């Protein structure tokens, strides 16, 4: 079982979308996909309504997901940790217990634009179009990730 964790700040906008998208592209018998936030603001909350609606418009259901906070035990469980932006990346790296942990952490858009260190913009304070834009970015990245992991 390969275990993949998607990480953003709140775990209600970007990472639940990323979780739903990547899950839909990988066989569930050999891949586990989860998400978490670096902050604890939205622990036990469902995803933001706008993420739920955007996911539904692409045939994905994410309303059952609940927010949780990233913690250093996640390094024990997960093989790959994709962070949505540079701030999440630094936050997760800071919690690494050993060098091997750091190697698991990647910026998700580097899958699409290698070495550019681009952020998936936080859509929390933007309108609905921000969420569709995030969906498109994540879909492109997750397509590449799933192709890599299954080839
Ligand atoms: P996310 O977006 O990190 O993509 O889930 C956010 C959601 C909530 C907050 C910040 C970012 N917040 O400050 O409450």
């Amino acid at each position: 079982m390969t275990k993949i964790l998607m990480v953003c700040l709140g775990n209600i906008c970007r990472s639940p979308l990323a979780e739903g998208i990547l899950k839909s592209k990988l066989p569930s018998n050999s891949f586990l996909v989860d998400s978490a936030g670096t902050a604890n603001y939205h622990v036990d909350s469902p995803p933001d309504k706008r993420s739920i609606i955007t996911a539904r418009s692409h045939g994905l259901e994410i309303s059952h997901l609940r927010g949780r906070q990233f913690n250093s035990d996640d390094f024990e469980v997960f093989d790959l940790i994709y962070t949505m932006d540079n701030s999440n990346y630094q936050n997760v790296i800071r919690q690494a217990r050993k060098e091997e942990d750091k190697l698991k952490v990647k910026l998700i858009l580097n899958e699409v634009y290698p070495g550019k260190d681009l952020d998936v913009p936080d859509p929390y304070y933007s309108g609905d179009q921000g969420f569709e834009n995030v969906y498109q970015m994540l879909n492109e990245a997750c397509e590449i990730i799933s192709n890599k992991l299954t080839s």
Side-chain angles (χ1 to χ4, degrees):
M1 184 74 87
T2 302
K3 296 176 185 157
I4 304 145
L5 183 65
M6 300 295 190
V7 177
C8 64
L9 174 61
N11 193 208
I12 55 166
C13 297
R14 292 165 293 177
S15 61
L17 255 184
E19 175 182 344
I21 294 167
L22 188 61
K23 259 187 198 155
S24 76
K25 295 180 191 288
L26 290 171
S28 61
N29 59 347
S30 44
F31 292 92
L32 182 148
V33 186
D34 190 15
S35 64
T38 57
N40 65 359
Y41 320 136
H42 300 286
V43 170
D44 292 330
S45 300
D48 188 286
K49 282 196 178 67
R50 296 164 295 177
S51 278
I52 293 174
I53 287 165
T54 302
R56 273 191 196 139
S57 77
H58 294 280
L60 301 174
E61 189 55 52
I62 61 168
S63 60
H64 56 288
L65 302 179
R66 293 295 178 268
R68 74 166 180 93
Q69 189 173 22
F70 177 84
N71 70 85
S72 60
D73 291 342
D74 287 315
F75 287 113
E76 208 62 64
V77 175
F78 292 93
D79 304 295
L80 284 166
I81 300 171
Y82 287 106
T83 57
M84 300 296 125
D85 65 31
N86 281 273
S87 164
N88 315 146
Y89 179 86
Q90 293 303 339
N91 194 308
V92 170
I93 286 282
R94 221 181 295 128
Q95 297 181 61
R97 305 152 310 164
K98 49 189 184 201
E99 283 309 305
E100 195 188 328
D101 290 348
K102 296 183 186 174
L103 300 175
K104 298 180 175 184
V105 189
K106 297 167 192 306
L107 261 178
I108 194 165
L109 285 187
N110 278 349
E111 298 296 319
V112 186
Y113 309 101
K116 295 260 188 270
D117 293 347
L118 298 177
D119 292 338
V120 177
D122 188 341
Y124 191 60
Y125 295 106
S126 74
D128 295 344
Q129 192 49 40
F131 283 74
E132 177 58 24
N133 184 37
V134 164
Y135 173 88
Q136 294 299 338
M137 290 179 183
L138 292 175
N139 191 48
E140 199 176 355
C142 289
E143 187 66 24
I144 294 169
I145 293 167
S146 72
N147 286 338
K148 268 192 196 168
L149 292 175
T150 55
S151 61

